[in-house]
Amino acid sequence: MKGILGFEHGIVQAPLGPDISGPELVAAVANAGGIGLLRCPDWECPDYLRELIRKTKTLTDKPFGIGVVLAFPHDLNIKAILEEEVAVLQLYWGDCSQELVDDAHRAGLKVVPQVGNVEEARKAVAVGVDAIIVQGHEAGGHVIGKDGLFSLLPRVVDLVGERDIPVIAAGGIVDARGYVAALSLGAQGVCLGTRFVATHESYAHPIYKRKLVEYEKTEYTDVFGRARWPGAPQRVLETPFFDDWRSLPAGENEVNQPVIGRSTIHGVEKEIRRFSGTVPNMTTTGDLESMAMYAGQSVGLIKEILPAGEVVKSLVEEAQALILQKFNNATT
């Protein structure tokens, strides 16, 4: 299994918001040879961000990256990221501009946007990005496109053609079977979110992790976070709370809802209102059962909470074995 972008393995741990992929998870993935991605806060806090990056560097001497959602204020944060010299700048939900790509390249960073359609991929290729994450509709959390991964991925692979731009598949991949399927469609790597939420090192609340093991169904919805992040539908676990509120009227949002809990997120204490879309982290108190819990469509394949390094290792080893057993035998 070939690595990508100078990393040992072509396995990316998605930047899990708001702070679920913290230094411990990112370092564990990096130490296993994968591409671990911190999640940049959704507000400008460059000094805090420097601390977050430096803390991660105390836990690993391997390269890692950080994901930035361009829908939120980010100019000062990106300046700090470029100065701190992480390896990868992952971008999502906004304009991956030529200026931003050039600035990152001058600072020595690789730029990897996540796209949800062919047109976004075309724009990314045009500005000279270093890799492209293709997100299928199966993905958990905020979902930017409407196409399933199996139809979208090969189209982006064909678009990239012979250029040295690895295509990374995301959406519903949790094990070696998904990894090999993505490779067969032309991807050079895979990006996993839900599988890495359900790891020992993730900063998700234990109840959230447990529900990823217990529940098997998800739903694509816009019930959560309508005011904070308008026009950003999400895929969530079908919890009893979601089943009760899945038909929330279009004019309703979290602004006039009761406070159901509190969290410390990136060092800032926050109230969590019903329908706010904030997943519970290790610090969260209150009515966790009524909070958003993001998950991809393949959550039913997650049977236990594992060390992140073991997730990376088993993906690589089991994919190699699967290719040898299934595909070599099929040709003889």
Side-chain angles (χ1 to χ4, degrees), residues 80-121:
I81 291 166
L82 301 190
E83 290 171 357
E84 289 298 318
E85 299 179 347
V86 300
V88 173
L89 176 63
Q90 189 262 10
L91 303 169
Y92 189 36
W93 218 284
D95 182 27
C96 176
S97 68
Q98 186 73 64
E99 182 184 8
L100 181 48
V101 172
D102 291 346
D103 287 348
H105 284 166
R106 273 193 292 272
L109 281 75
K110 301 270 202 277
V111 181
V112 183
Q114 178 165 277
V115 306
N117 57 57
V118 173
E119 191 50 45
E120 278 188 300

Side-chain angles (χ1 to χ4, degrees), residues 269-290:
E269 287 197 25
K270 302 248 182 194
E271 288 182 340
I272 298 177
R273 293 186 181 273
R274 189 167 60 188
F275 310 128
S276 69
T278 304
V279 298
N281 69 17
M282 289 285 199
T283 72
T284 305
T285 57
D287 181 11
L288 274 71
E289 303 282 339
S290 298

Side-chain angles (χ1 to χ4, degrees), residues 196-210:
F196 281 113
V197 178
T199 58
H200 295 315
E201 296 89 349
S202 113
Y203 201 55
H205 194 283
I207 288 175
Y208 179 15
K209 294 183 188 182
R210 192 164 69 241

